[in-house]
Amino acid sequence: MRGTTTNVMGRWLKIDGNTVDCSLPYIGRNDIPHMKTRAEVRMDSKLEFNAEVQNYLLKLEAKKKRGIVTFSTRYGGDEYQFNITVDNTGRAFIRVTPENRDFIEYEGNVYGL
């Protein structure tokens, strides 16, 4: 990671059935350089989409008292790999890896269990 930690409020990642609702900030590098308009640059600063969940897998690790959810989704010509680790305190650690950009990690709390 090249960046530093930043606190963010009012953002979310929701999984409901086979749909993911994502509203997360994104700061990273696009690995495919091309000329962009100002609107495209602003869109690159966030991950906001509703999309279908693919390859969903839940792995429970009872000894470590945590669960790991992995899935992928496609939106806007990019594929995203999600890895979410939830511990027994309700803390979530999220790693999002876009196909053509740097990965980014988030930490937050789980609500609505």
Side-chain angles (χ1 to χ4, degrees), residues 46-103:
K46 57 188 171 184
L47 301 176
E48 286 191 0
F49 56 82
N50 284 304
E52 183 179 341
V53 170
Q54 300 168 355
N55 304 316
Y56 181 91
L57 178 65
L58 170 62
K59 179 181 173 185
L60 298 176
E61 296 181 342
K63 288 185 180 182
K64 294 183 180 181
K65 298 182 180 178
R66 68 181 184 185
I68 301 171
V69 175
T70 58
F71 65 91
S72 62
T73 190
R74 293 195 69 76
Y75 182 80
D78 209 351
E79 182 172 342
Y80 300 90
Q81 300 292 328
F82 285 82
N83 184 305
I84 305 165
T85 302
V86 180
D87 67 20
N88 65 330
T89 67
R91 203 81 182 131
F93 303 89
I94 303 167
R95 181 181 179 121
V96 181
T97 308
E99 186 175 38
N100 296 315
R101 297 191 264 175
D102 289 339
F103 73 88

